[in-house]
Amino acid sequence: MCALRVLTRLSNTIAKPYQHHTRRTLIFDSSQFVKLHNLTDSDSGIVEVRLDRPEANNAIGKEMLHGLSRVFELINQNSGVNVAMIRSSVPGVFCAGADLKERRTMNQSEVKLFVNSLRSTVSFLEEIRVPTIAVIEGVALGGGLEMALACDIRICGANALMGLPETGLAIIPGAGGTQRLPRLVGKAIAKDIIFTGRKINGIEALSMGIVNYCVAAGEAHSKALEIARDINQKGPVAIRMAKKAINEGMETDLTSALVLEEDCYDQVLNTKDRLEGLAAFAEKRKPRYTGE
């Protein structure tokens, strides 16, 4: 059964005990460590991915990685999703990185397979069609920070602590950290962070450009929800095309990128939402976009 059919079936059969409150409904429980919640009412179109492995500080092991992969696939295939937030249900930690206790039980080939799978999953996260927002409170280290780097927007609390400490274990970041961090902050800063393995607090991360916003401790989710709601009010097709144009355009030369922009613009020209936007502007009212 494809992921979209699984999501549809689970959405239709959701039971009352899984409703946390009126705005959030658990629509997919891929594992005991990763849960997908759909916000409802006026927030319909926003989903939350919750990391929930408190006994291991959300460290990513095989089961959690499998859960993340399935949830990301569901989000990408569900046309009703306009924006996704990734947050932790565990106080004081976003994600501590890979599960090193589990790693010690693996042989060399198993380690290689796991790291390749983690890299592929993080890359898939980056390629999800809709905007993604990382909500960082507390610790985000190694693979946890790499997952956040693959999101479109990062918001942290002032108590956040981020880093790529892999060189202290005689390895290197293996889920995109050596590539996404320098693209974000430049080679010099990325080399400093990766070579030393030092930890960066929220204020430093903001000044370096690692995060978009640094707010008071405990307020990162509120800020993320504010931004998600803002995005959710925009034309869904336009948002997807804007993300595609930016992400793919940054990986090529300007001339080719402008051709890509033209192609993406063509995708919004024949939409009903474009006409609705013009009508709403003329009538001085909020547009009612449908994603068509």
Side-chain angles (χ1 to χ4, degrees), residues 135-158:
V135 185
I136 306 169
E137 292 280 7
V139 174
L141 299 175
L145 179 56
E146 289 175 301
M147 181 162 54
L149 292 174
C151 291
D152 299 301
I153 297 171
R154 286 160 295 281
I155 300 167
C156 74

mmCIF file with all atom_site columns, all heavy atoms in Angstrom, residues 135-158:
data_model
loop_
_atom_site.group_PDB
_atom_site.id
_atom_site.type_symbol
_atom_site.label_atom_id
_atom_site.label_alt_id
_atom_site.label_comp_id
_atom_site.label_asym_id
_atom_site.label_entity_id
_atom_site.label_seq_id
_atom_site.pdbx_PDB_ins_code
_atom_site.Cartn_x
_atom_site.Cartn_y
_atom_site.Cartn_z
_atom_site.occupancy
_atom_site.B_iso_or_equiv
_atom_site.pdbx_formal_charge
_atom_site.auth_seq_id
_atom_site.auth_comp_id
_atom_site.auth_asym_id
_atom_site.auth_atom_id
_atom_site.pdbx_PDB_model_num
ATOM 1   N N   . VAL A 1 135 ? 12.029 23.284 14.857 1.00 0.00 ? 135 VAL A N   1
ATOM 2   C CA  . VAL A 1 135 ? 11.769 23.974 16.122 1.00 0.00 ? 135 VAL A CA  1
ATOM 3   C C   . VAL A 1 135 ? 12.756 23.432 17.149 1.00 0.00 ? 135 VAL A C   1
ATOM 4   O O   . VAL A 1 135 ? 12.598 22.314 17.649 1.00 0.00 ? 135 VAL A O   1
ATOM 5   C CB  . VAL A 1 135 ? 10.320 23.734 16.591 1.00 0.00 ? 135 VAL A CB  1
ATOM 6   C CG1 . VAL A 1 135 ? 10.020 24.558 17.838 1.00 0.00 ? 135 VAL A CG1 1
ATOM 7   C CG2 . VAL A 1 135 ? 9.330  24.045 15.476 1.00 0.00 ? 135 VAL A CG2 1
ATOM 8   N N   . ILE A 1 136 ? 13.793 24.200 17.455 1.00 0.00 ? 136 ILE A N   1
ATOM 9   C CA  . ILE A 1 136 ? 14.902 23.708 18.266 1.00 0.00 ? 136 ILE A CA  1
ATOM 10  C C   . ILE A 1 136 ? 14.866 24.316 19.662 1.00 0.00 ? 136 ILE A C   1
ATOM 11  O O   . ILE A 1 136 ? 15.085 25.514 19.836 1.00 0.00 ? 136 ILE A O   1
ATOM 12  C CB  . ILE A 1 136 ? 16.253 24.030 17.604 1.00 0.00 ? 136 ILE A CB  1
ATOM 13  C CG1 . ILE A 1 136 ? 16.295 23.492 16.167 1.00 0.00 ? 136 ILE A CG1 1
ATOM 14  C CG2 . ILE A 1 136 ? 17.403 23.448 18.427 1.00 0.00 ? 136 ILE A CG2 1
ATOM 15  C CD1 . ILE A 1 136 ? 17.486 23.993 15.368 1.00 0.00 ? 136 ILE A CD1 1
ATOM 16  N N   . GLU A 1 137 ? 14.571 23.482 20.641 1.00 0.00 ? 137 GLU A N   1
ATOM 17  C CA  . GLU A 1 137 ? 14.697 23.852 22.055 1.00 0.00 ? 137 GLU A CA  1
ATOM 18  C C   . GLU A 1 137 ? 15.688 22.888 22.680 1.00 0.00 ? 137 GLU A C   1
ATOM 19  O O   . GLU A 1 137 ? 15.522 21.674 22.605 1.00 0.00 ? 137 GLU A O   1
ATOM 20  C CB  . GLU A 1 137 ? 13.343 23.752 22.765 1.00 0.00 ? 137 GLU A CB  1
ATOM 21  C CG  . GLU A 1 137 ? 12.309 24.779 22.336 1.00 0.00 ? 137 GLU A CG  1
ATOM 22  C CD  . GLU A 1 137 ? 12.494 26.143 22.984 1.00 0.00 ? 137 GLU A CD  1
ATOM 23  O OE1 . GLU A 1 137 ? 13.521 26.344 23.681 1.00 0.00 ? 137 GLU A OE1 1
ATOM 24  O OE2 . GLU A 1 137 ? 11.619 27.013 22.780 1.00 0.00 ? 137 GLU A OE2 1
ATOM 25  N N   . GLY A 1 138 ? 16.753 23.405 23.285 1.00 0.00 ? 138 GLY A N   1
ATOM 26  C CA  . GLY A 1 138 ? 17.741 22.538 23.908 1.00 0.00 ? 138 GLY A CA  1
ATOM 27  C C   . GLY A 1 138 ? 18.758 22.014 22.914 1.00 0.00 ? 138 GLY A C   1
ATOM 28  O O   . GLY A 1 138 ? 19.165 22.698 21.975 1.00 0.00 ? 138 GLY A O   1
ATOM 29  N N   . VAL A 1 139 ? 19.141 20.764 23.071 1.00 0.00 ? 139 VAL A N   1
ATOM 30  C CA  . VAL A 1 139 ? 20.279 20.181 22.358 1.00 0.00 ? 139 VAL A CA  1
ATOM 31  C C   . VAL A 1 139 ? 19.906 19.711 20.958 1.00 0.00 ? 139 VAL A C   1
ATOM 32  O O   . VAL A 1 139 ? 18.916 19.014 20.761 1.00 0.00 ? 139 VAL A O   1
ATOM 33  C CB  . VAL A 1 139 ? 20.852 18.997 23.168 1.00 0.00 ? 139 VAL A CB  1
ATOM 34  C CG1 . VAL A 1 139 ? 21.941 18.287 22.375 1.00 0.00 ? 139 VAL A CG1 1
ATOM 35  C CG2 . VAL A 1 139 ? 21.392 19.478 24.507 1.00 0.00 ? 139 VAL A CG2 1
ATOM 36  N N   . ALA A 1 140 ? 20.731 20.102 19.976 1.00 0.00 ? 140 ALA A N   1
ATOM 37  C CA  . ALA A 1 140 ? 20.633 19.602 18.599 1.00 0.00 ? 140 ALA A CA  1
ATOM 38  C C   . ALA A 1 140 ? 22.056 19.319 18.136 1.00 0.00 ? 140 ALA A C   1
ATOM 39  O O   . ALA A 1 140 ? 22.769 20.227 17.707 1.00 0.00 ? 140 ALA A O   1
ATOM 40  C CB  . ALA A 1 140 ? 19.953 20.610 17.690 1.00 0.00 ? 140 ALA A CB  1
ATOM 41  N N   . LEU A 1 141 ? 22.459 18.066 18.235 1.00 0.00 ? 141 LEU A N   1
ATOM 42  C CA  . LEU A 1 141 ? 23.835 17.695 17.943 1.00 0.00 ? 141 LEU A CA  1
ATOM 43  C C   . LEU A 1 141 ? 23.911 16.660 16.835 1.00 0.00 ? 141 LEU A C   1
ATOM 44  O O   . LEU A 1 141 ? 22.971 15.890 16.634 1.00 0.00 ? 141 LEU A O   1
ATOM 45  C CB  . LEU A 1 141 ? 24.506 17.130 19.200 1.00 0.00 ? 141 LEU A CB  1
ATOM 46  C CG  . LEU A 1 141 ? 24.614 18.061 20.413 1.00 0.00 ? 141 LEU A CG  1
ATOM 47  C CD1 . LEU A 1 141 ? 25.190 17.311 21.603 1.00 0.00 ? 141 LEU A CD1 1
ATOM 48  C CD2 . LEU A 1 141 ? 25.442 19.296 20.085 1.00 0.00 ? 141 LEU A CD2 1
ATOM 49  N N   . GLY A 1 142 ? 25.021 16.639 16.112 1.00 0.00 ? 142 GLY A N   1
ATOM 50  C CA  . GLY A 1 142 ? 25.261 15.630 15.093 1.00 0.00 ? 142 GLY A CA  1
ATOM 51  C C   . GLY A 1 142 ? 24.114 15.526 14.117 1.00 0.00 ? 142 GLY A C   1
ATOM 52  O O   . GLY A 1 142 ? 23.703 16.514 13.490 1.00 0.00 ? 142 GLY A O   1
ATOM 53  N N   . GLY A 1 143 ? 23.552 14.315 13.984 1.00 0.00 ? 143 GLY A N   1
ATOM 54  C CA  . GLY A 1 143 ? 22.454 14.092 13.061 1.00 0.00 ? 143 GLY A CA  1
ATOM 55  C C   . GLY A 1 143 ? 21.229 14.927 13.371 1.00 0.00 ? 143 GLY A C   1
ATOM 56  O O   . GLY A 1 143 ? 20.430 15.224 12.480 1.00 0.00 ? 143 GLY A O   1
ATOM 57  N N   . GLY A 1 144 ? 21.066 15.331 14.628 1.00 0.00 ? 144 GLY A N   1
ATOM 58  C CA  . GLY A 1 144 ? 19.960 16.209 14.977 1.00 0.00 ? 144 GLY A CA  1
ATOM 59  C C   . GLY A 1 144 ? 20.095 17.572 14.327 1.00 0.00 ? 144 GLY A C   1
ATOM 60  O O   . GLY A 1 144 ? 19.125 18.116 13.775 1.00 0.00 ? 144 GLY A O   1
ATOM 61  N N   . LEU A 1 145 ? 21.307 18.142 14.394 1.00 0.00 ? 145 LEU A N   1
ATOM 62  C CA  . LEU A 1 145 ? 21.533 19.421 13.723 1.00 0.00 ? 145 LEU A CA  1
ATOM 63  C C   . LEU A 1 145 ? 21.474 19.247 12.214 1.00 0.00 ? 145 LEU A C   1
ATOM 64  O O   . LEU A 1 145 ? 20.946 20.113 11.501 1.00 0.00 ? 145 LEU A O   1
ATOM 65  C CB  . LEU A 1 145 ? 22.886 20.004 14.135 1.00 0.00 ? 145 LEU A CB  1
ATOM 66  C CG  . LEU A 1 145 ? 23.251 21.345 13.471 1.00 0.00 ? 145 LEU A CG  1
ATOM 67  C CD1 . LEU A 1 145 ? 22.186 22.409 13.723 1.00 0.00 ? 145 LEU A CD1 1
ATOM 68  C CD2 . LEU A 1 145 ? 24.619 21.824 13.950 1.00 0.00 ? 145 LEU A CD2 1
ATOM 69  N N   . GLU A 1 146 ? 21.993 18.132 11.703 1.00 0.00 ? 146 GLU A N   1
ATOM 70  C CA  . GLU A 1 146 ? 21.955 17.890 10.262 1.00 0.00 ? 146 GLU A CA  1
ATOM 71  C C   . GLU A 1 146 ? 20.511 17.826 9.757  1.00 0.00 ? 146 GLU A C   1
ATOM 72  O O   . GLU A 1 146 ? 20.197 18.305 8.665  1.00 0.00 ? 146 GLU A O   1
ATOM 73  C CB  . GLU A 1 146 ? 22.711 16.607 9.926  1.00 0.00 ? 146 GLU A CB  1
ATOM 74  C CG  . GLU A 1 146 ? 24.223 16.761 10.088 1.00 0.00 ? 146 GLU A CG  1
ATOM 75  C CD  . GLU A 1 146 ? 24.975 15.467 9.869  1.00 0.00 ? 146 GLU A CD  1
ATOM 76  O OE1 . GLU A 1 146 ? 24.709 14.481 10.592 1.00 0.00 ? 146 GLU A OE1 1
ATOM 77  O OE2 . GLU A 1 146 ? 25.833 15.431 8.968  1.00 0.00 ? 146 GLU A OE2 1
ATOM 78  N N   . MET A 1 147 ? 19.621 17.252 10.550 1.00 0.00 ? 147 MET A N   1
ATOM 79  C CA  . MET A 1 147 ? 18.212 17.219 10.182 1.00 0.00 ? 147 MET A CA  1
ATOM 80  C C   . MET A 1 147 ? 17.640 18.636 10.151 1.00 0.00 ? 147 MET A C   1
ATOM 81  O O   . MET A 1 147 ? 16.906 18.997 9.233  1.00 0.00 ? 147 MET A O   1
ATOM 82  C CB  . MET A 1 147 ? 17.429 16.343 11.167 1.00 0.00 ? 147 MET A CB  1
ATOM 83  C CG  . MET A 1 147 ? 15.950 16.224 10.863 1.00 0.00 ? 147 MET A CG  1
ATOM 84  S SD  . MET A 1 147 ? 15.172 14.812 11.699 1.00 0.00 ? 147 MET A SD  1
ATOM 85  C CE  . MET A 1 147 ? 15.631 15.122 13.419 1.00 0.00 ? 147 MET A CE  1
ATOM 86  N N   . ALA A 1 148 ? 18.001 19.448 11.133 1.00 0.00 ? 148 ALA A N   1
ATOM 87  C CA  . ALA A 1 148 ? 17.537 20.831 11.160 1.00 0.00 ? 148 ALA A CA  1
ATOM 88  C C   . ALA A 1 148 ? 18.079 21.630 9.979  1.00 0.00 ? 148 ALA A C   1
ATOM 89  O O   . ALA A 1 148 ? 17.379 22.467 9.399  1.00 0.00 ? 148 ALA A O   1
ATOM 90  C CB  . ALA A 1 148 ? 17.944 21.491 12.475 1.00 0.00 ? 148 ALA A CB  1
ATOM 91  N N   . LEU A 1 149 ? 19.327 21.373 9.596  1.00 0.00 ? 149 LEU A N   1
ATOM 92  C CA  . LEU A 1 149 ? 19.936 22.083 8.472  1.00 0.00 ? 149 LEU A CA  1
ATOM 93  C C   . LEU A 1 149 ? 19.222 21.787 7.157  1.00 0.00 ? 149 LEU A C   1
ATOM 94  O O   . LEU A 1 149 ? 19.261 22.592 6.227  1.00 0.00 ? 149 LEU A O   1
ATOM 95  C CB  . LEU A 1 149 ? 21.416 21.714 8.340  1.00 0.00 ? 149 LEU A CB  1
ATOM 96  C CG  . LEU A 1 149 ? 22.350 22.198 9.452  1.00 0.00 ? 149 LEU A CG  1
ATOM 97  C CD1 . LEU A 1 149 ? 23.759 21.635 9.248  1.00 0.00 ? 149 LEU A CD1 1
ATOM 98  C CD2 . LEU A 1 149 ? 22.397 23.719 9.520  1.00 0.00 ? 149 LEU A CD2 1
ATOM 99  N N   . ALA A 1 150 ? 18.570 20.632 7.081  1.00 0.00 ? 150 ALA A N   1
ATOM 100 C CA  . ALA A 1 150 ? 17.843 20.256 5.866  1.00 0.00 ? 150 ALA A CA  1
ATOM 101 C C   . ALA A 1 150 ? 16.471 20.908 5.789  1.00 0.00 ? 150 ALA A C   1
ATOM 102 O O   . ALA A 1 150 ? 15.808 20.838 4.750  1.00 0.00 ? 150 ALA A O   1
ATOM 103 C CB  . ALA A 1 150 ? 17.696 18.739 5.781  1.00 0.00 ? 150 ALA A CB  1
ATOM 104 N N   . CYS A 1 151 ? 16.034 21.532 6.877  1.00 0.00 ? 151 CYS A N   1
ATOM 105 C CA  . CYS A 1 151 ? 14.753 22.235 6.878  1.00 0.00 ? 151 CYS A CA  1
ATOM 106 C C   . CYS A 1 151 ? 14.911 23.606 6.226  1.00 0.00 ? 151 CYS A C   1
ATOM 107 O O   . CYS A 1 151 ? 16.012 24.155 6.136  1.00 0.00 ? 151 CYS A O   1
ATOM 108 C CB  . CYS A 1 151 ? 14.231 22.387 8.305  1.00 0.00 ? 151 CYS A CB  1
ATOM 109 S SG  . CYS A 1 151 ? 13.710 20.822 9.059  1.00 0.00 ? 151 CYS A SG  1
ATOM 110 N N   . ASP A 1 152 ? 13.804 24.177 5.796  1.00 0.00 ? 152 ASP A N   1
ATOM 111 C CA  . ASP A 1 152 ? 13.846 25.480 5.123  1.00 0.00 ? 152 ASP A CA  1
ATOM 112 C C   . ASP A 1 152 ? 14.057 26.629 6.096  1.00 0.00 ? 152 ASP A C   1
ATOM 113 O O   . ASP A 1 152 ? 14.714 27.620 5.769  1.00 0.00 ? 152 ASP A O   1
ATOM 114 C CB  . ASP A 1 152 ? 12.538 25.697 4.349  1.00 0.00 ? 152 ASP A CB  1
ATOM 115 C CG  . ASP A 1 152 ? 12.330 24.646 3.275  1.00 0.00 ? 152 ASP A CG  1
ATOM 116 O OD1 . ASP A 1 152 ? 13.200 24.544 2.387  1.00 0.00 ? 152 ASP A OD1 1
ATOM 117 O OD2 . ASP A 1 152 ? 11.324 23.930 3.319  1.00 0.00 ? 152 ASP A OD2 1
ATOM 118 N N   . ILE A 1 153 ? 13.488 26.506 7.278  1.00 0.00 ? 153 ILE A N   1
ATOM 119 C CA  . ILE A 1 153 ? 13.568 27.559 8.290  1.00 0.00 ? 153 ILE A CA  1
ATOM 120 C C   . ILE A 1 153 ? 13.915 26.912 9.622  1.00 0.00 ? 153 ILE A C   1
ATOM 121 O O   . ILE A 1 153 ? 13.403 25.839 9.949  1.00 0.00 ? 153 ILE A O   1
ATOM 122 C CB  . ILE A 1 153 ? 12.232 28.327 8.400  1.00 0.00 ? 153 ILE A CB  1
ATOM 123 C CG1 . ILE A 1 153 ? 11.918 29.039 7.082  1.00 0.00 ? 153 ILE A CG1 1
ATOM 124 C CG2 . ILE A 1 153 ? 12.254 29.333 9.555  1.00 0.00 ? 153 ILE A CG2 1
ATOM 125 C CD1 . ILE A 1 153 ? 10.523 29.647 7.015  1.00 0.00 ? 153 ILE A CD1 1
ATOM 126 N N   . ARG A 1 154 ? 14.790 27.538 10.392 1.00 0.00 ? 154 ARG A N   1
ATOM 127 C CA  . ARG A 1 154 ? 15.166 27.036 11.712 1.00 0.00 ? 154 ARG A CA  1
ATOM 128 C C   . ARG A 1 154 ? 14.904 28.109 12.760 1.00 0.00 ? 154 ARG A C   1
ATOM 129 O O   . ARG A 1 154 ? 15.319 29.261 12.599 1.00 0.00 ? 154 ARG A O   1
ATOM 130 C CB  . ARG A 1 154 ? 16.655 26.642 11.729 1.00 0.00 ? 154 ARG A CB  1
ATOM 131 C CG  . ARG A 1 154 ? 16.961 25.352 10.994 1.00 0.00 ? 154 ARG A CG  1
ATOM 132 C CD  . ARG A 1 154 ? 18.425 25.228 10.610 1.00 0.00 ? 154 ARG A CD  1
ATOM 133 N NE  . ARG A 1 154 ? 18.800 26.263 9.642  1.00 0.00 ? 154 ARG A NE  1
ATOM 134 C CZ  . ARG A 1 154 ? 18.510 26.195 8.336  1.00 0.00 ? 154 ARG A CZ  1
ATOM 135 N NH1 . ARG A 1 154 ? 17.855 25.156 7.857  1.00 0.00 ? 154 ARG A NH1 1
ATOM 136 N NH2 . ARG A 1 154 ? 18.867 27.159 7.521  1.00 0.00 ? 154 ARG A NH2 1
ATOM 137 N N   . ILE A 1 155 ? 14.230 27.703 13.824 1.00 0.00 ? 155 ILE A N   1
ATOM 138 C CA  . ILE A 1 155 ? 13.901 28.608 14.923 1.00 0.00 ? 155 ILE A CA  1
ATOM 139 C C   . ILE A 1 155 ? 14.373 27.941 16.210 1.00 0.00 ? 155 ILE A C   1
ATOM 140 O O   . ILE A 1 155 ? 14.071 26.770 16.460 1.00 0.00 ? 155 ILE A O   1
ATOM 141 C CB  . ILE A 1 155 ? 12.390 28.870 14.983 1.00 0.00 ? 155 ILE A CB  1
ATOM 142 C CG1 . ILE A 1 155 ? 11.912 29.497 13.665 1.00 0.00 ? 155 ILE A CG1 1
ATOM 143 C CG2 . ILE A 1 155 ? 12.042 29.774 16.160 1.00 0.00 ? 155 ILE A CG2 1
ATOM 144 C CD1 . ILE A 1 155 ? 10.420 29.515 13.499 1.00 0.00 ? 155 ILE A CD1 1
ATOM 145 N N   . CYS A 1 156 ? 15.106 28.673 17.033 1.00 0.00 ? 156 CYS A N   1
ATOM 146 C CA  . CYS A 1 156 ? 15.600 28.080 18.269 1.00 0.00 ? 156 CYS A CA  1
ATOM 147 C C   . CYS A 1 156 ? 15.265 28.941 19.466 1.00 0.00 ? 156 CYS A C   1
ATOM 148 O O   . CYS A 1 156 ? 15.022 30.144 19.347 1.00 0.00 ? 156 CYS A O   1
ATOM 149 C CB  . CYS A 1 156 ? 17.116 27.846 18.203 1.00 0.00 ? 156 CYS A CB  1
ATOM 150 S SG  . CYS A 1 156 ? 18.116 29.344 18.357 1.00 0.00 ? 156 CYS A SG  1
ATOM 151 N N   . GLY A 1 157 ? 15.251 28.305 20.629 1.00 0.00 ? 157 GLY A N   1
ATOM 152 C CA  . GLY A 1 157 ? 15.168 29.028 21.880 1.00 0.00 ? 157 GLY A CA  1
ATOM 153 C C   . GLY A 1 157 ? 16.561 29.459 22.298 1.00 0.00 ? 157 GLY A C   1
ATOM 154 O O   . GLY A 1 157 ? 17.566 28.886 21.845 1.00 0.00 ? 157 GLY A O   1
ATOM 155 N N   . ALA A 1 158 ? 16.627 30.446 23.165 1.00 0.00 ? 158 ALA A N   1
ATOM 156 C CA  . ALA A 1 158 ? 17.930 30.955 23.592 1.00 0.00 ? 158 ALA A CA  1
ATOM 157 C C   . ALA A 1 158 ? 18.749 29.894 24.321 1.00 0.00 ? 158 ALA A C   1
ATOM 158 O O   . ALA A 1 158 ? 19.974 29.998 24.413 1.00 0.00 ? 158 ALA A O   1
ATOM 159 C CB  . ALA A 1 158 ? 17.742 32.182 24.483 1.00 0.00 ? 158 ALA A CB  1
#
